[in-house]
Amino acid sequence: MEMKEKGSPNVVHPSPADGVAVRVATSADAEAPRKAVAADVSLQPKLTEGPVEALQRAEREAQEAAKALEQAILNAPEAEPGSKPAMARLNEAREVLSDAARCTEYRKQLTVGTARSEMWAHEALGELKQAKEVERKQKEKKEKERGTLGARLEHSDADVRRAAVQALGAMPSEVQSQHADTVAARLEHTEAAVRLAAVKAVGGMRSEVQSQHAGSVAARLEDAEASVRRAAVQALGRMSSEVQSQHAGAVAARLGHLDASVRRAAVQVLGRMSSEVQLQHAGAVMARLEDSDADVRMAAVQALERMPSEVQSQHAGAVMALLEDSDAGLRRAVVQALGGMLSEVQSQYAGSVAAQLEDSDWSVRRVAVETLGRMASEVQSQHAGSVAARLEDTQAGVRARAVEVLGRMPPEVQSQHAGSVAAWLEDSDAGVRREAVQALGGMPSEVQSQYAGSVAARLEDSDAGVRREAVQALGGMPSEVQSQYAGSVAARL
């Protein structure tokens, strides 16, 4: 005896006499997922509940929802694993697994049809529950680790405390903020390694945390350990401009420190501060141009490059005097710094840079060529002959830069030195040949036409980069030149 459920014309349930389930006649049950209806109002938060009661009720509902969903999937209409109906059921399960409010009505919609269990659905639900459990355990583990790290800041072993400080310094900002006071307290630790880790950790925290503990970090400028003092200077240099301005005087006081590494750090930090702070301490920073340590002098040179124009103009002469320094790295830094200064300062000292084209160190010569190539066109024209002389340099790197710079000079200068550049199409160094091809390809059309044959000969070069540059250079030449060498270029395709 079969009975139809009221309000559900397509749903057939077994009568007590049947003893077996009867399959639903409609095809919609097997071909598409049924949509969930609106949540049961009984599952909405109750206004009279306190937070504890609401939490307990939500927990019960979640447990009931999981059971209801499991039963719903087990009683779902039959479908082959991997079929569209099966995937539809699985997707339904994924959507409602975490939604307690939808499960009661959802169960009613799914529990139509056969009472036979579907193993694939049962396993799918198990996998979903397992994934949720893994996520929960991972979350618990992270929370436990964070709490453990906080506790390890109080550990009796200094190495453990240092490791805890370092670990917390690398954690998300909200975790850092939670333990910032505890970390900052380690700035006064008896072990230098712990203080160092604390300084670095605070220096890497959010700006509001840095501002809160900036005074404690600044106090480490007087630390007995040089590495801690240096780290404190660097940490202050990463803080906000307001904090930097507040403690700039303390940093500037380190410019005369006995330890050269601390002096260098102070110069570097002041050189990165706001222009107002730089103007205030420019004299003290530039006094380090006379420092006994070459690294400190180099830091002062590099700091000037970032300072306001009036400071550059005032102290450029003192910087250029270091071109006589015995340290090649320092001379190179001076030439590079001038390339980043005001054009009027560059023009004033261009002759001194050009003199470095004869420096005994090839890296200084190369940087001198590059710096002259960044100056105003009239300055370039004035020193083009000296740059062209570097085409005969013994170092391929210097020759390559000379070719490149000549290729970027004013057209009249390019035409004047085109022959010298073209001669380096036969250089033994592939990098020099590439620069020569590229330079000729950017010169005036009459120069291009004159040396097109020499450029075309590079289509047979042993270096792929040179051949590629030759193709590109010929492609940018006048149309009559392109027509003449089109066959040679096509042969490279």
Side-chain angles (χ1 to χ4, degrees), residues 145-146 148-171 176 179 182-183 186 189 191-201 205:
E145 285 176 348
R146 290 171 182 174
T148 303
L149 280 170
R152 284 177 181 170
L153 290 169
E154 307 290 342
H155 200 277
S156 58
D157 189 286
D159 290 335
V160 175
R161 293 193 296 272
R162 182 180 68 251
V165 169
Q166 291 170 336
L168 283 168
M171 284 191 169
Q176 292 180 348
H179 297 283
T182 309
V183 172
R186 296 298 168 276
H189 199 274
E191 290 285 340
V194 176
R195 296 196 303 275
L196 176 62
V199 169
K200 290 180 177 179
M205 290 183 180

Side-chain angles (χ1 to χ4, degrees), residues 457-479:
R458 290 301 101 204
L459 293 170
E460 302 295 333
D461 198 278
S462 59
D463 183 82
V466 177
R467 296 195 300 271
R468 183 170 58 249
E469 290 293 344
V471 169
Q472 293 175 347
L474 288 168
M477 290 187 180
S479 56

Side-chain angles (χ1 to χ4, degrees), residues 227-304:
S227 61
V228 178
R229 297 193 297 268
R230 183 167 60 250
V233 171
Q234 293 168 343
L236 288 169
R238 288 192 295 270
M239 294 185 183
S240 64
S241 55
E242 300 78 30
V243 175
Q244 289 181 349
S245 299
Q246 184 180 354
H247 297 283
V251 174
R254 307 275 93 61
L255 291 170
H257 201 277
L258 291 175
D259 189 286
S261 65
V262 175
R263 298 198 301 274
R264 182 176 70 249
V267 170
Q268 290 171 336
V269 169
L270 288 168
R272 288 193 294 266
M273 287 188 178
S274 64
S275 56
E276 297 79 19
V277 175
Q278 289 179 340
L279 285 170
Q280 184 179 355
H281 298 284
V285 172
M286 289 301 100
R288 290 303 100 204
L289 292 170
E290 303 290 335
D291 198 278
S292 59
D293 185 86
D295 289 337
V296 178
R297 298 197 298 273
M298 187 180 299
V301 169
Q302 294 167 340
L304 181 61

